[in-house]
Amino acid sequence: MSAPALVFLAPPPAGGDHDVTPDLPASRPARAARPAATLRMTRGARNAAAGMDVTDADVQRCLDAPDDVTPDARNPSRDRYRRSDLVVLAAADGMVLRIERRGR
């Protein structure tokens, strides 16, 4: 049994038979340089936010710097974020499931 023939798809580098620098993937830009990801919300949460005049920025501030974070009573894998009178229920993957306004 003989070994299969090797087929080269690209010509060898101009510097000789061997290239001493490995091909590295292009580096990703820093997080600050990348465009901000859009806030992921269910349709019901988006409609509730629009009905209460809550902007995406308000929801993002609540998620980024909440006054209080507790697990949801019905589903402990979900978190309830509270900032001022805004309460946001989010899944473990960051999807906003519900938005409410409550008194302190």
Side-chain angles (χ1 to χ4, degrees):
M1 180 183 209
S2 63
L6 296 176
V7 178
F8 294 97
L9 300 177
D17 290 343
H18 303 286
D19 188 10
V20 294
T21 58
D23 292 333
L24 298 175
S27 63
R28 294 179 61 188
R31 183 167 173 80
R34 284 185 263 159
T38 59
L39 187 63
R40 295 182 16 211
M41 302 170 93
T42 61
R43 189 175 309 148
R46 178 97 36 211
N47 290 339
M52 292 183 286
D53 293 326
V54 175
T55 64
D56 283 1
D58 294 334
V59 174
Q60 192 64 54
R61 274 192 297 275
C62 183
L63 294 173
D64 290 342
D67 295 335
D68 184 36
V69 179
T70 56
D72 185 44
R74 287 182 242 153
N75 191 343
S77 67
R78 297 176 178 169
D79 291 322
R80 188 174 298 275
Y81 298 86
R82 174 177 277 206
R83 181 176 174 132
S84 183
D85 64 341
L86 184 65
V87 179
V88 176
L89 180 68
D93 65 353
M95 172 76 77
V96 175
L97 304 173
R98 190 179 326 139
I99 297 174
E100 303 171 351
R101 287 233 188 242
R102 293 195 177 166
R104 293 182 187 211

